[in-house]
Amino acid sequence: MDIKEYGSEDLTILPNGLAIISTGLKDPVLPSYSDAPGKMYTLDMSEDSRMKPVELRMGRGFDLESFNPHGISVYTDETDNSVYLFVVNHPQQKTQVEIFLFVEEDHSLVYVKTIKHEFLHSVNDIVAVGVESFYATNDHYFGGGTLNTLEILLAQPWSNVVYYSPEEVKVVAEGFYMANGINISPDKRHIYVADLFDHNIHVLERLESNGLAPVKQVVEVGSLVDNIYVDPETGDLWIGCHPNGWKLFQNDPEDLPGSEVIQIKDIHSEKPVVTQVYADDGSVLIGSSVAAPYGGKLLIGTIYQKALVCDLAKVDQ
């Protein structure tokens, strides 16, 4: 499945099998194949026929020209079953969070509001826990520019996780080398954070105060971990990974960055099971950033290339 080679950096799948995909991320340190604004797509994973992504219409009141989407998350309001889409947006390389109402019947996104805060200065990914509340990862301590480059070279654990609600905003976890993907357990009791540069997944317990407390599990993955998808039925984690970070930034046509998908089962047990589900050298897929299963298929997204749908039965062989 090709989304015009504009990337498919993050995605999530609704219970009915409809995947929502963010495309067109532009990062100053990564390649980009288009100057066009970012877009949101859906893909019906429940279809048996040839799947085709469909662009979501975005209504009035929102600046489409500067749209630069990164991490996404969906929250369903149980009071009326409204579905809200949270999108990390980087207009002019700044950071803000957009909230939309997803109207499936109209195949559109209705703009609700934009959230900006000094604590949300370098947001990578987000997990929504209310109609206006969420946890977010800051992948850098500084807000951008040359200080970000210096920060990477110094390799210091200055990255963090922030909790946001209309009532309070606070740092709830810190000490990450680069906090990247974030997601929540099906029972809503634990938060999972991917530390890209430390090659591991942190397991954090949610507190009544909305703070986070580390539990003993830090699961070593052995690859640069990007976005996390949590299977709502099994609780398994599916992670898009980068086998070689240097190749990812260089994007040399003669030495392409590869792709890797890792599955973690029984993450709360004494011995979580870490399995490589998909891997290639870049000949098929470049720079995998996210993966999610549905109905025997695996949907894999990338930072700046395309998206791929695999038959899980064949991948597991």
Side-chain angles (χ1 to χ4, degrees):
M1 183 198 71
D2 193 344
I3 306 184
K4 299 182 180 179
E5 305 275 333
Y6 291 171
S8 43
E9 202 279 338
D10 201 9
L11 59 89
T12 191
I13 302 179
L14 301 178
N16 63 0
L18 195 67
I20 300 178
I21 306 168
S22 69
T23 74
L25 174 65
K26 295 169 188 63
D27 188 301
V29 300
L30 289 169
S32 176
Y33 296 110
S34 171
D35 293 328
K39 297 178 181 180
M40 304 298 301
Y41 286 83
T42 62
L43 180 72
D44 191 348
M45 295 286 287
S46 67
E47 290 183 353
D48 293 328
S49 60
R50 185 173 181 267
M51 288 179 283
K52 182 179 180 181
V54 180
E55 183 179 345
L56 276 166
R57 294 191 302 106
M58 301 176 74
R60 298 177 180 177
F62 180 73
D63 183 5
L64 293 173
E65 291 303 311
S66 66
F67 190 42
N68 187 13
H70 203 165
I72 66 172
S73 180
V74 164
Y75 180 80
T76 301
D77 186 351
E78 295 182 355
T79 60
D80 60 5
N81 292 319
S82 296
V83 177
Y84 293 90
L85 177 67
F86 290 62
V87 183
V88 178
N89 185 18
H90 301 293
Q92 293 83 43
Q93 300 306 322
K94 298 177 182 178
T95 294
Q96 57 197 48
V97 174
E98 316 292 356
I99 303 179
F100 301 93
L101 179 66
F102 173 54
V103 184
E104 186 172 353
E105 299 78 12
D106 197 34
H107 205 76
S108 67
L109 294 174
V110 177
Y111 172 68
V112 176
K113 70 182 302 182
T114 295
I115 294 173
K116 301 179 184 179
H117 193 276
E118 59 180 343
F119 284 7
L120 302 171
H121 59 270
S122 183
V123 178
N124 184 301
D125 197 15
I126 188 171
V127 59
V129 293
V131 294
E132 288 188 33
S133 58
F134 54 84
Y135 293 92
T137 56
N138 281 311
D139 54 16
H140 291 85
Y141 178 81
F142 299 106
T146 56
L147 288 176
N148 275 6
T149 304
L150 177 61
E151 183 181 341
I152 292 173
L153 294 174
L154 291 174
Q156 295 299 306
W158 293 342
S159 179
N160 64 25
V161 176
V162 171
Y163 172 76
Y164 177 93
S165 75
E167 293 75 34
E168 66 173 340
V169 186
K170 59 186 178 181
V171 174
V172 290
E174 49 194 344
F176 304 97
Y177 288 92
M178 182 178 277
N180 197 304
I182 187 169
N183 217 320
I184 193 168
S185 61
D187 63 9
K188 314 301 182 187
R189 293 173 54 194
H190 293 90
I191 294 290
Y192 308 120
V193 178
D195 191 334
L196 183 113
F197 284 157
D198 213 20
H199 301 186
N200 58 32
I201 302 294
H202 291 249
V203 182
L204 305 163
E205 182 182 1
R206 292 183 69 191
L207 306 176
E208 289 188 12
S209 64
N210 293 310
L212 298 176
V215 297
K216 68 177 183 178
Q217 290 104 325
V218 176
V219 182
E220 301 293 336
V221 175
S223 188
L224 280 78
V225 285
D226 205 317
N227 291 315
I228 304 168
Y229 178 82
V230 179
D231 188 311
E233 301 297 328
T234 66
D236 294 350
L237 276 63
W238 294 77
I239 308 157
C241 299
H242 309 290
N244 188 306
W246 178 250
K247 289 184 180 182
L248 183 71
F249 290 100
Q250 292 294 105
N251 194 33
D252 182 351
E254 302 299 320
D255 190 19
L256 291 170
S259 291
E260 185 176 23
V261 174
I262 297 293
Q263 179 188 17
I264 303 177
K265 295 181 178 181
D266 304 321
I267 192 167
H268 297 286
S269 69
E270 291 295 325
K271 293 184 178 180
V273 180
V274 180
T275 305
Q276 183 191 71
V277 177
Y278 176 89
D280 84 68
D281 60 3
S283 58
V284 177
L285 203 63
I286 296 172
S288 54
S289 56
V290 64
Y294 186 88
K297 306 181 187 76
L298 182 65
L299 175 59
I300 308 174
T302 66
I303 298 177
Y304 51 75
Q305 200 207 16
K306 56 188 175 182
L308 179 71
V309 178
C310 306
D311 186 329
L312 262 178
K314 294 180 179 179
V315 170
D316 289 340
Q317 290 177 356

